[in-house]
C-alpha cells in the first residue's frame, strides 16, 4: 500500500470511511514525514503534534459512528499568516512571535467544522512579502525537488508541505501570486480564487483590495472538494459577494464547450524559459486535439500590471501593518517614550522587505503624492481589469505559463528586490483584476524542476478554470510526485 | 481700531446610541461597564480582522444629514485616516474624507430680543460624516497610561459647520439645537458632560469688509492678511461653549488692539480658571495619508434617505407649540428641545382641555374658554411645567424619562388652579406630594384629603373670620378708625389660620361685612 501521507483528500476519505486505516495512522504518517523532512525543508514553524493526534482520535470515533463529514480526520496545514484559534500564528515575523489568535479565520473555521485536522502552521515570507520564501524571520523554505532552490513564495511552506506529503492539503494566501508561484515551483495545484469568493476574515492582510485565500492540493479534484467547503459569502467580510457558489466537485468532469484564449503578451516576456514555452505549447495542442477552441488574444495593459501592483500593494500594506505596534499583542520592546517603543518594536519585529514596503507605501500615500501614485495606479488598474473584461467576451479561460522560469537558486535574487518583483510578472495581472487563476503542474524541466501552467478565468468563473485545469492534469501521465 | 468680526466654525462629534459598535457586534456602551469588557478581536484590531459597517449607524447618519437639510450624496465611502497612538488600535481611524454622507446643510437660529447681537441667523453645515470613536486613555500617577477599548469603534458622527457663527451665544444655541435634533431623531442622548457630544471651535477675528467666506473658507480681501485662527478643545458643556468662545473673542480682540499677533494654535478650555490655555502652536500640518478603505465597499446614502421618514424636528415643533397651543416662545423652546418634555406638554394641554369640558365650573362654556383664553391657559400650564415641575424635579434629580406623574393628573392640577379650586401655594404643596409619592397620584384626592382646597364656604370661613377679629382687637380698632391697609393684615391672618386654603376674595368680603358692624 502507498504511504498514507501521499494520499489525496479523495483517496484518504475513501480509505478512512472503508476503515482501511485510521485518522490517527494517517495523521501519524504526516507527522513522521514532517519529523523526517522539516529540519531540511523548513516548511513548518509550528507543528501541532499532540493536538493533531487528539483530534485524529476524536475523528476516528466520529468515523466509526458513521457521521464523518467531508474532511473528518484529514490532516491539513495552514500558512502562518492565517489566524488559527489557540495555535500560534506568526506571519513569519518576530513581531508576532508570541501571538496566538483567539479566533479562527473564516475559511479555517469552515474546514474545522468539516472535521479537518490541523497539523501545523507553515513558514512563509513575512506577512506575505516575497516570491521566494527567503523573507521569513524563521529562515528560508527549501524546494523539495532540489534543496538549493527556493520554494517560491510567499506561501512557500504550504506548497512544500503538500508537495512533500507532510499533509494532505494546505491553505495559503495569494495577493500577487503567493499561491500560484510556489505551487508551480513545487509541482502542486494552487488556486487563487476570485476576489470576494472566499472570506478574507482572519487572513493577515497585505493588500486588502487584492488579498485572497485559497488551497494547495495534490489534484484538481481535491481543489474542487476544498473550494466546495470554503467558498461563499461571509458576514464578517464585507467584500465577499452573495453570488451562489457552484458545486465545483460535481461540475469538474463536465465537458463544457470552453473557448481557450492564448494571450500573446504572456509569451513575449524576454525572461520566458524556452523549455516552459515548449511544455505549454504541447498542452495547448493537446487541448486543441480534445476539440477545445483555441483563440489568440491580447491583453495590451499587461505590461503595466507589475508597476501598478508595487504601488497599490505597499500603500495598503503600510496601512494594514500599522496595527503591529506592540501595544495590545505581539512582541514589544519597552524602551524610552511612546515613539521609541513603536520604533524599536517595529524595527526588531519586521524584516527588511516589510520595512521596504512600509516606506514605499507611506511615501505613496503622503499628501501631494497620493494622486500621482496610489490614485493613478488605481486608474491604470481599472484599465487592466477592462482588458480581462474585454477578452472574456471572446473566450472562457486563458492559458499561460505560471512563471517565466522554474525554481531559482536560494540567494540568487534576494539582494535584488526588483528582479524578485518581476518573478510575479505572469501572476499579477489576474491579481490586480480580481479574477480567479490556478496553477496546475504541467511537467518538469531538464533538471527535474516542476513547470506550472496557469489557467485564468473571469470573475466568479472558478468552475471553468477547474474544468480546464482538470483536462491539463489528465493529459499528463499520472502526476508523479517525489519521494 | 476697525470693527472686528468674530468668525467661528464648530466641529461637533456625537456618539450614536446604536445597539452595537460601528464595525463589530460588540455592545455599544462606552460609559457604564467595567473597562475592556465590550471588546472583541475586531475592535482590538487583531491581525486579519475586518470591519463590517453597522447599517443602523449609516441610516442614522443619513437621518442627521437630512434633518440638517444637507444634500445627501449618491456615492459615499469610508477612508482610512492614519496616525499612531495607543487609543487607535488599527493605527488608522475609519472615517470619511472626500465623500461624506451629506453636505451643504443649514441650521436657523432665533434669539429673543436683546439676547444676541442679531435676532436670527443661519449657520451653514459644511458636512456630515460617519467615523469610529477611539479608545479612552487614563493617565495614572506612576507615569503609566491605561487604555479602555470599550469606546473603541463606537459610531461617531462628525458635523462641521461653516464659519458663520459670530458669538458665544450663537455657538451655544447651535450646540443646543443640534442636541435637540439628535434627541428628536432618537440617535443620541448627546450629553456633553458624558462626552456623548463634543465640541471643538475654530475662532478668528477679522476686520469687517476685509474678508469673504467662499465655499466655507474665509478668504482675505486684496492687501489684507488674515489674522491666524485658534482652535479650542476640551469644551465639555453648553456653558463652556459660550464661555470659551466669549473668552477667546475678548482675548484676541485685546491682542489685536495692542497690535500683537500670534501663530495659529490649539488651546484648551480650563473650566476652573475660566480661560483658554495654550496647548500647542501649529507645526507642519498633520499628514493622515487618507486613502479609500478597501475593506468596505462604497454605498449610496441617497437611496437610504429615500426610505427614511423624519419625525417633527425641534424647530417645527417650537413653531407649532407657539401657534397651536399659545405657548410663549421661551416655553415653546424649552418644551420642544426634548422629545419627552414635548410629548408631556402636548398631552397636558389636551388633557387640560378635557378637564375644562368636564368640570362643573367650566363645562358649559369650555369651547369658548379655550378659544378666548388659549394663551392664558398655555401660560399657566407652561409656567407650571417649565418652572415649578422642572424645578422640583431638578432639585430631586428626577429625569423626565422616569417621572411617575402622568399628564392626565398633572393637567387636572392645572385645571384645579385655573378654576380657583386651589390656590397657588397649596397647588405647589400638592405637586410636591405627587412628585414625592413615587406613584401617579390624583391631585383632587390630595387636595381633599389634606384640606388644600379653597375655603369659599361662607359659614365655615365666617367662623374663622370671627376668631381673627376676636384675637386682633388693636388692628380691628385701627382699621375701623380708617387705616385701610390693615385689612390686608387681617386677611393674611385668615389665610394663615386656614393654612392658605381660604378663598382670598370670600375672606375679604366677610371681613368687610363683619367689620362694618
Amino acid at each position: 500500500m502507498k504511504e498514507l501521507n501521499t494520499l489525496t483528500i479523495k483517496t484518504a476519505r475513501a480509505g478512512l470511511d472503508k476503515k482501511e486505516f485510521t485518522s490517527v495512522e494517517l495523521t501519524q504518517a504526516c507527522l513522521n514525514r514532517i519529523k523526517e523532512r522539516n529540519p531540511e525543508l523548513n516548511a513548518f514553524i509550528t507543528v501541532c503534534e499532540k493536538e493533531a493526534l487528539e483530534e485524529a482520535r476524536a475523528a476516528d470515533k466520529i468515523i466509526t459512528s458513521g457521521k464523518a463529514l467531508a474532511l473528518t480526520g484529514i490532516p491539513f496545514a495552514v500558512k502562518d499568516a492565517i489566524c488559527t484559534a489557540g495555535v500560534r500564528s506568526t506571519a513569519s515575523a518576530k513581531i508576532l512571535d508570541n501571538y496566538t489568535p483567539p479566533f479562527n479565520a473564516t475559511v479555517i473555521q469552515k474546514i474545522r467544522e468539516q472535521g479537518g485536522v490541523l497539523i501545523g502552521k507553515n513558514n512563509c515570507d513575512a506577512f506575505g512579502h516575497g516570491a521566494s520564501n527567503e523573507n521569513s524571520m524563521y529562515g528560508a523554505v527549501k524546494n523539495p525537488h532540489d534543496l538549493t532552490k527556493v520554494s517560491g513564495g510567499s506561501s512557500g511552506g504550504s506548497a512544500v508541505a503538500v508537495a512533500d506529503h507532510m499533509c494532505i492539503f494546505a491553505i495559503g494566501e495569494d495577493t500577487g501570486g503567493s499561491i500560484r508561484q510556489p505551487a508551480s515551483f513545487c509541482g502542486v495545484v494552487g488556486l487563487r480564487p476570485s476576489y470576494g469568493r472566499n472570506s478574507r476574515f482572519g487572513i493577515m492582510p497585505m493588500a486588502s483590495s487584492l488579498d485572497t485565500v485559497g488551497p494547495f492540493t495534490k489534484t484538481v479534484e481535491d481543489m474542487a472538494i476544498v473550494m466546495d467547503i470554503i467558498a461563499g459569502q461571509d458576514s464578517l467580510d464585507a467584500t465577499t459577494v452573495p453570488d451562489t457558489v457552484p458545486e465545483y466537485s460535481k461540475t469538474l468532469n463536465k465537458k463544457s464547450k470552453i473557448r481557450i484564449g492564448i494571450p500573446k503578451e504572456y509569451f513575449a516576456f524576454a525572461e520566458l524559459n524556452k523549455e516552459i514555452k515548449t511544455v505549454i505549447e504541447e498542452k495547448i495542442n493537446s487541448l486543441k486535439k480534445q476539440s477545445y477552441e483555441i483563440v489568440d488574444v491580447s491583453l495590451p495593459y499587461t505590461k503595466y500590471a507589475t508597476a501598478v501592483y508595487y504601488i497599490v500593494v505597499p500603500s495598503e500594506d503600510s496601512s494594514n501593518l500599522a496595527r503591529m505596534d506592540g501595544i495590545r499583542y505581539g512582541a514589544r520592546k519597552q524602551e524610552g517614550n511612546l515613539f521609541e517603543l513603536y520604533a524599536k518594536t517595529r524595527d526588531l519585529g519586521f524584516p527588511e522587505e516589510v520595512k521596504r514596503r512600509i516606506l514605499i507605501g507611506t511615501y505613496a500615500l503622503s499628501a501631494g503624492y497620493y494622486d500621482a501614485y496610489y490614485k493613478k495606479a488605481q486608474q491604470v488598474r481599472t484599465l487592466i481589469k477592462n482588458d480581462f473584461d474585454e477578452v472574456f467576451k471572446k473566450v472562457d479561460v486563458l492559458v499561460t505559463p505560471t512563471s517565466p522560469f522554474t525554481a531559482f537558486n536560494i540567494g540568487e535574487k534576494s539582494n535584488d528586490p526588483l528582479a524578485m518583483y518581476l518573478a510575479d510578472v505572469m501572476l499579477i495581472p489576474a491579481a490586480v483584476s480580481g479574477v480567479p487563476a490556478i496553477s496546475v503542474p504541467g511537467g518538469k524541466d531538464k533538471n527535474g524542476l516542476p513547470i506550472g501552467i496557469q489557467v485564468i478565468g473571469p470573475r466568479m468563473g472558478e468552475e471553468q478554470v477547474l474544468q480546464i485545469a482538470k483536462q491539463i492534469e489528465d493529459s499528463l501521465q499520472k502526476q508523479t510526485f517525489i519521494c | 481700531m476697525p470693527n472686528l468680526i468674530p468668525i467661528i466654525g464648530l466641529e461637533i462629534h456625537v456618539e450614536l446610541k446604536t445597539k452595537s459598535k460601528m464595525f463589530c457586534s460588540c455592545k455599544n456602551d462606552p460609559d457604564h461597564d467595567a473597562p475592556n469588557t465590550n471588546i472583541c478581536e475586531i475592535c482590538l484590531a487583531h491581525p486579519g480582522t475586518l470591519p463590517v459597517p453597522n447599517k443602523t449607524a449609516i441610516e442614522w447618519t443619513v437621518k442627521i444629514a437630512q434633518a440638517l437639510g444637507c444634500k445627501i450624496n449618491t456615492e459615499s465611502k469610508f477612508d482610512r485616516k492614519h496616525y499612531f497612538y495607543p487609543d487607535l488600535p488599527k493605527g488608522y481611524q475609519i472615517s470619511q474624507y472626500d465623500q461624506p454622507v451629506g453636505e451643504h446643510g443649514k441650521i436657523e437660529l432665533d434669539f429673543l430680543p436683546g439676547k444676541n447681537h442679531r435676532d436670527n441667523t443661519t449657520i451653514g453645515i459644511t458636512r456630515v460624516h460617519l467615523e469610529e470613536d477611539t479608545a479612552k486613555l487614563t493617565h495614572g500617577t506612576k507615569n503609566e497610561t491605561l487604555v479602555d477599548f470599550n469606546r473603541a469603534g463606537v459610531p461617531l458622527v462628525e458635523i462641521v459647520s461653516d464659519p458663520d457663527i459670530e458669538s458665544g451665544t450663537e455657538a451655544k444655541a447651535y450646540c443646543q439645537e443640534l442636541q435637540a435634533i439628535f434627541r428628536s431623531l432618537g440617535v443620541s442622548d448627546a450629553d456633553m458632560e458624558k462626552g456623548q457630544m463634543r465640541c471643538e471651535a475654530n475662532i478668528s477675528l477679522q476686520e469687517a469688509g476685509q474678508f469673504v467666506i467662499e465655499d466655507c473658507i474665509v478668504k482675505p480681501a486684496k492687501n489684507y492678511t488674515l489674522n491666524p485662527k485658534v482652535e479650542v478643545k476640551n469644551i465639555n458643556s453648553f456653558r463652556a461653549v459660550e464661555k470659551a468662545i466669549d473668552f477667546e473673542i475678548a482675548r484676541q480682540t485685546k491682542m489685536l488692539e495692542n497690535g500683537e499677533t500670534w501663530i495659529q494654535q490649539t488651546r484648551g478650555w480650563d473650566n476652573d480658571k475660566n480661560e483658554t490655555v495654550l496647548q500647542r502652536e501649529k507645526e507642519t500640518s498633520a499628514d493622515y495619508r487618507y486613502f479609500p478603505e478597501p475593506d468596505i465597499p462604497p454605498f449610496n446614502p441617497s437611496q437610504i434617505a429615500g426610505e427614511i421618514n423624519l419625525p417633527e424636528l425641534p424647530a417645527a415643533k417650537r413653531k407649532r407649540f407657539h401657534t397651536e397651543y399659545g405657548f410663549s416662545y421661551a416655553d415653546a423652546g424649552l418644551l420642544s428641545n426634548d422629545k419627552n418634555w414635548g410629548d408631556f406638554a402636548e398631552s397636558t394641554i389636551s388633557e387640560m382641555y378635557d378637564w375644562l369640558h368636564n368640570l362643573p365650573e367650566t363645562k358649559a362654556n369650555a369651547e369658548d374658554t379655550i378659544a378666548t383664553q388659549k394663551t392664558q391657559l398655555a401660560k399657566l400650564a407652561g409656567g407650571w411645567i417649565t418652572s415649578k415641575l422642572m424645578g422640583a424635579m431638578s432639585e430631586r434629580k428626577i429625569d423626565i424619562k422616569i417621572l411617575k406623574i402622568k399628564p392626565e393628573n398633572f393637567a387636572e392640577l392645572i385645571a384645579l388652579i385655573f378654576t380657583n379650586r386651589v390656590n397657588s401655594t397649596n397647588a405647589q404643596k400638592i405637586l410636591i406630594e405627587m412628585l414625592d409619592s413615587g406613584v401617579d397620584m390624583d391631585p383632587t384626592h390630595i387636595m381633599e384629603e389634606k384640606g388644600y382646597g379653597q375655603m369659599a364656604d361662607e359659614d365655615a370661613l365666617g367662623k374663622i373670620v370671627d376668631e381673627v377679629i376676636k384675637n386682633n382687637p388693636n388692628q380691628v380698632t385701627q382699621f375701623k378708625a380708617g387705616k385701610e391697609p390693615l385689612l390686608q393684615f387681617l386677611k393674611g391672618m385668615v389665610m394663615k389660620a386656614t393654612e392658605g386654603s381660604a378663598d382670598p376674595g370670600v375672606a375679604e368680603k366677610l371681613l368687610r361685612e363683619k367689620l362694618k358692624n
Side-chain angles (χ1 to χ4, degrees):
Chain A
M1 195 171 100
K2 259 174 104 179
E3 292 288 334
L4 293 180
N5 54 310
T6 65
L7 297 176
T8 64
I9 298 172
K10 172 111 192 227
T11 52
R13 174 84 275 133
L16 285 168
D17 290 348
K18 285 186 206 146
K19 318 281 185 334
E20 288 167 6
F21 49 85
T22 64
S23 171
V24 170
E25 288 164 342
L26 175 65
T27 305
Q28 192 60 61
C30 292
L31 288 167
N32 291 345
R33 183 70 181 171
I34 294 171
K35 268 185 201 154
E36 181 196 338
R37 296 279 284 171
N38 198 52
E40 249 176 345
L41 296 174
N42 199 22
F44 283 83
I45 290 177
T46 303
V47 180
C48 311
E49 183 171 359
K50 196 172 141 249
E51 297 85 347
L53 286 171
E54 262 170 40
E55 287 172 27
R57 273 190 286 276
D60 282 330
K61 281 187 195 150
I62 293 168
I63 295 165
T64 310
S65 73
K67 285 178 184 159
L69 299 168
L71 298 174
T72 304
I74 296 181
F76 74 109
V78 177
K79 184 181 188 177
D80 216 21
I82 297 175
C83 290
T84 43
V87 177
R88 184 169 79 131
S89 305
T90 69
S92 295
K94 291 290 180 190
I95 202 161
L96 292 181
D97 188 56
N98 62 359
Y99 178 64
T100 300
F103 64 102
N104 270 324
T106 298
V107 293
I108 303 305
Q109 183 66 27
K110 287 179 167 184
I111 289 169
R112 304 290 264 158
E113 281 166 7
Q114 286 295 315
V117 172
L118 178 62
I119 201 157
K121 299 298 296 288
N122 297 125
N123 200 346
C124 56
D125 284 303
F127 291 108
H129 298 174
S132 69
N133 221 131
E134 292 168 287
N135 294 332
S136 166
M137 293 178 97
Y138 298 82
V141 178
K142 289 173 187 163
N143 194 306
H145 300 268
D146 179 344
L147 297 178
T148 66
K149 305 287 180 188
V150 300
S151 61
S154 65
S155 312
S158 306
V160 171
V162 174
D164 204 52
H165 303 298
M166 296 159 143
C167 58
I168 308 302
F169 72 98
I171 297 297
E173 183 276 334
D174 187 314
T175 302
S178 287
I179 288 176
R180 294 163 288 158
Q181 193 245 25
S184 135
F185 282 11
C186 297
V188 295
V189 184
L191 173 71
R192 174 201 168 84
S194 310
Y195 187 82
R197 173 94 289 176
N198 294 352
S199 169
R200 291 182 294 118
F201 185 81
I203 314 303
M204 297 190 196
M206 184 167 151
S208 314
S209 71
L210 288 99
D211 292 346
T212 58
V213 56
F216 288 94
T217 57
K218 298 175 186 178
T219 63
V220 177
E221 193 171 33
D222 276 7
M223 182 60 71
I225 293 171
V226 183
M227 279 299 287
D228 280 342
I229 291 162
I230 65 175
Q233 194 176 22
D234 179 14
S235 62
L236 294 175
D237 178 357
T239 62
T240 50
V241 295
D243 307 37
T244 337
V245 184
E247 281 188 86
Y248 300 115
S249 48
K250 294 220 168 117
T251 58
L252 189 59
N253 291 307
K254 204 170 82 185
K255 270 209 120 188
S256 316
K257 190 175 153 32
I258 294 175
R259 292 161 301 170
I260 299 168
I262 310 298
K264 64 178 184 193
E265 289 78 8
Y266 285 67
F267 294 83
F269 285 112
E271 300 87 349
L272 180 59
N273 177 313
K274 284 214 175 75
E275 273 188 88
I276 296 179
K277 199 174 175 189
T278 311
V279 165
I280 307 287
E281 281 165 357
E282 278 169 25
K283 290 289 161 297
I284 293 168
N285 278 328
S286 128
L287 288 165
K288 206 174 201 169
K289 276 179 204 152
Q290 294 172 62
S291 68
Y292 285 106
E293 187 188 343
I294 309 291
V295 185
D296 286 325
V297 295
S298 169
L299 296 160
Y301 285 100
T302 299
K303 60 185 170 201
Y304 300 111
T306 305
V308 163
Y309 181 84
Y310 278 100
I311 294 294
V312 174
V313 171
S315 298
E316 295 185 12
D317 230 339
S318 68
S319 170
N320 286 328
L321 289 168
R323 66 185 61 191
M324 305 291 158
D325 58 6
I327 300 287
R328 299 166 312 288
Y329 50 78
R332 176 196 293 177
K333 183 78 179 158
Q334 184 82 49
E335 225 174 81
N337 60 24
L338 181 64
F339 173 80
E340 285 165 309
L341 183 152
Y342 285 147
K344 287 185 175 145
T345 298
R346 289 164 68 85
D347 183 36
L348 292 170
F350 290 142
E352 289 307 302
E353 180 60 22
V354 173
K355 292 177 197 167
R356 182 179 296 121
R357 294 198 189 189
I358 290 174
L359 285 175
I360 294 172
T362 303
Y363 179 85
L365 290 178
S366 297
Y369 297 100
Y370 172 83
D371 284 350
Y373 292 107
Y374 189 82
K375 198 172 171 189
K376 177 71 81 182
Q378 290 290 21
Q379 287 164 343
V380 179
R381 186 178 177 181
T382 305
L383 297 175
I384 299 168
K385 268 187 200 161
N386 291 346
D387 260 6
F388 281 98
D389 289 347
E390 283 306 308
V391 89
F392 284 123
K393 286 177 188 162
K394 296 178 202 134
V395 297
D396 303 299
V397 295
L398 301 168
V399 171
T400 80
T402 304
S403 165
F405 33 72
T406 53
F408 46 86
N409 291 325
I410 292 174
E412 185 183 326
K413 295 180 198 287
S414 52
N415 291 322
D416 187 352
L418 210 56
M420 192 72 85
Y421 292 173
L422 290 171
D424 280 341
V425 68
M426 305 217 173
L427 303 165
I428 285 174
V432 299
S433 307
V435 298
I438 200 168
S439 180
V440 63
K444 286 183 178 173
D445 70 4
K446 60 179 184 293
N447 298 319
L449 292 172
I451 292 170
I453 298 175
Q454 178 174 230
V455 183
I456 306 171
R459 204 148 179 248
M460 303 303 144
E462 278 83 355
E463 211 173 359
Q464 63 249 43
V465 166
L466 289 167
Q467 285 168 7
I468 290 299
K470 181 75 165 62
Q471 292 302 317
I472 293 170
E473 185 184 66
D474 287 350
S475 76
L476 267 187
Q477 289 302 312
K478 188 73 190 155
Q479 182 73 28
T480 43
F481 295 99
I482 55 152
C483 76
Chain B
M1 193 67 200
N3 188 18
L4 290 169
I5 310 282
I7 299 173
I8 303 158
L10 298 184
E11 275 176 32
I12 304 294
H13 284 94
V14 63
E15 286 178 344
L16 300 182
K17 56 174 184 184
T18 49
K19 283 203 183 78
S20 58
K21 288 189 182 182
M22 186 60 222
F23 297 115
C24 63
S25 53
C26 281
K27 187 177 162 200
N28 173 10
D29 188 7
D31 301 318
H32 298 106
D33 282 339
N36 294 313
T37 46
N38 299 325
I39 57 170
C40 71
E41 61 264 21
I42 298 171
C43 53
L44 285 186
H46 275 241
T49 57
L50 299 170
V52 175
N54 183 326
K55 210 178 150 210
T56 307
I58 292 178
E59 284 166 6
W60 287 3
T61 309
V62 174
K63 247 188 195 179
I64 291 171
Q66 277 183 309
L68 297 176
C70 287
K71 173 183 156 274
I72 309 297
N73 284 327
T74 51
E75 189 171 308
S76 184
K77 65 176 167 65
F78 288 100
D79 298 276
R80 294 184 181 179
K81 176 184 180 180
H82 300 83
Y83 61 93
F84 282 98
Y85 208 58
D87 68 1
L88 196 62
K90 292 189 288 290
Y92 54 84
Q93 180 191 33
I94 303 180
S95 180
Q96 297 196 280
Y97 182 52
D98 54 352
Q99 292 179 305
V101 165
E103 294 172 277
H104 313 304
K106 64 175 195 288
I107 280 187
E108 277 161 17
L109 300 177
D110 293 308
F111 299 92
L112 295 174
K115 297 281 183 193
N116 187 45
H117 70 285
R118 43 186 183 179
D119 288 346
N120 54 67
T121 181
T122 300
I123 310 300
I125 304 290
T126 312
R127 55 185 280 150
V128 173
H129 79 245
L130 178 57
E131 57 188 32
E132 57 179 334
D133 211 343
T134 56
K136 203 183 259 170
L137 299 184
T138 312
H139 300 285
T141 47
K142 284 171 265 167
N143 200 27
E144 83 280 22
T145 299
L146 302 173
V147 195
D148 175 9
F149 291 96
N150 283 353
R151 203 181 68 178
V154 165
L156 195 65
V157 171
E158 180 174 324
I159 294 151
V160 182
S161 85
D162 293 347
D164 293 340
I165 297 167
E166 291 185 2
S167 68
T169 308
E170 289 178 11
K172 181 182 169 190
Y174 171 82
C175 290
Q176 286 173 326
E177 185 68 8
L178 279 180
Q179 184 193 58
I181 291 170
F182 300 144
R183 289 182 176 180
S184 73
L185 297 175
V187 300
S188 177
D189 295 336
D191 189 332
M192 285 192 78
E193 278 85 355
K194 287 182 185 161
Q196 293 162 343
M197 176 169 155
R198 298 162 223 158
C199 172
E200 288 165 21
N202 279 294
I203 307 160
S204 76
L205 296 182
Q206 309 298 346
E207 289 175 20
Q210 295 287 0
F211 68 92
V212 283
I213 296 174
E214 259 174 38
D215 296 332
C216 328
I217 294 166
V218 184
K219 291 178 181 165
K222 215 175 172 185
N223 299 327
Y224 177 76
T225 311
L226 291 173
N227 294 316
K229 68 175 178 182
V230 172
E231 186 176 359
V232 181
K233 297 189 175 212
N234 194 36
I235 304 176
N236 299 324
S237 68
F238 290 136
R239 259 171 66 81
V241 171
E242 186 172 28
K243 280 159 74 182
I245 285 169
D246 286 343
F247 175 87
E248 200 49 39
I249 291 170
R251 194 186 67 84
Q252 291 182 26
T253 305
K254 200 171 163 198
M255 283 183 79
L256 291 171
E257 282 170 357
N258 293 341
E260 295 171 72
T261 187
W262 59 90
I263 301 170
Q264 191 177 323
Q265 58 192 248
T266 301
R267 303 177 72 86
W269 173 247
D270 186 323
N271 230 355
D272 300 325
K273 291 187 187 152
N274 274 321
E275 61 182 32
T276 63
V277 180
L278 180 66
Q279 288 183 334
R280 59 175 180 273
E281 292 185 333
K282 193 188 174 190
E283 312 97 29
T284 49
S285 79
D287 185 350
Y288 293 120
R289 304 193 310 282
Y290 279 104
F291 82 101
E293 168 57 273
D295 290 328
I296 306 173
F299 58 99
N300 181 347
S302 155
Q303 199 180 348
I304 298 166
E307 288 152 24
I308 290 173
N309 288 316
L310 283 183
E312 183 182 40
L313 295 170
K317 188 177 275 186
R318 223 162 24 232
K319 206 175 230 174
R320 186 167 62 81
F321 274 21
H322 179 67
T323 51
E324 188 177 331
Y325 301 124
F327 282 119
S328 69
Y329 279 115
D331 285 351
L334 265 172
L335 294 172
S336 55
N337 269 354
D338 183 291
K339 189 182 179 302
N340 296 297
W341 277 115
D343 291 349
F344 185 87
E346 282 198 84
S347 304
T348 298
I349 294 287
S350 80
E351 294 285 352
M352 187 174 73
Y353 291 170
D354 274 0
W355 280 108
L356 297 182
H357 279 104
N358 288 316
L359 290 174
E361 298 94 315
T362 49
K363 71 179 185 190
N365 296 315
E367 282 306 327
D368 243 21
T369 310
I370 293 166
T372 55
Q373 300 191 62
K374 185 172 90 173
T375 315
Q376 287 91 320
L377 282 164
K379 197 179 165 196
L380 182 67
W384 274 84
I385 298 173
T386 59
S387 65
K388 308 260 176 7
L389 179 60
M390 283 185 182
M393 283 168 67
S394 144
E395 276 169 25
R396 287 162 178 74
K397 301 205 180 344
I398 297 172
D399 191 87
I400 175 72
K401 279 182 220 152
I402 55 161
L403 178 67
K404 289 285 185 290
I405 303 175
K406 294 282 167 284
E408 188 185 357
N409 277 330
F410 186 77
E412 186 179 345
L413 178 65
I414 306 294
L416 293 177
I417 301 164
F418 184 74
T419 53
N420 285 323
R421 290 203 185 187
V422 64
N423 63 32
S424 172
T425 316
N426 283 344
Q428 275 194 72
K429 288 183 191 161
I430 295 173
L431 178 63
I432 298 305
E433 290 205 27
M434 290 167 79
L435 206 51
D436 289 344
S437 72
V439 291
D440 185 23
M441 279 184 82
D442 180 342
T444 306
H445 281 176
I446 300 175
M447 181 181 79
E448 284 168 356
E449 201 171 287
K450 297 279 167 94
Y452 288 154
Q454 304 235 46
M455 279 175 80
D457 175 45
E458 296 194 10
D459 285 347
L461 204 51
K463 286 179 188 143
I464 291 164
V465 168
D466 290 342
E467 282 290 300
V468 167
I469 290 170
K470 194 177 127 197
N471 294 339
N472 295 282
N474 287 344
Q475 285 81 358
V476 167
T477 314
Q478 288 180 44
F479 174 75
K480 284 186 172 167
K483 279 206 168 176
E484 175 69 19
L486 278 165
L487 186 75
Q488 289 309 313
F489 169 82
L490 293 167
K491 196 167 99 185
M493 296 314 287
V494 174
M495 296 309 286
K496 197 178 168 192
T498 57
E499 291 184 318
S501 63
D503 182 320
V506 177
E508 186 173 332
K509 181 178 145 242
L510 289 174
L511 275 168
R512 283 193 191 280
E513 280 172 13
K514 290 182 191 280
L515 290 173
K516 260 183 199 166
N517 309 332

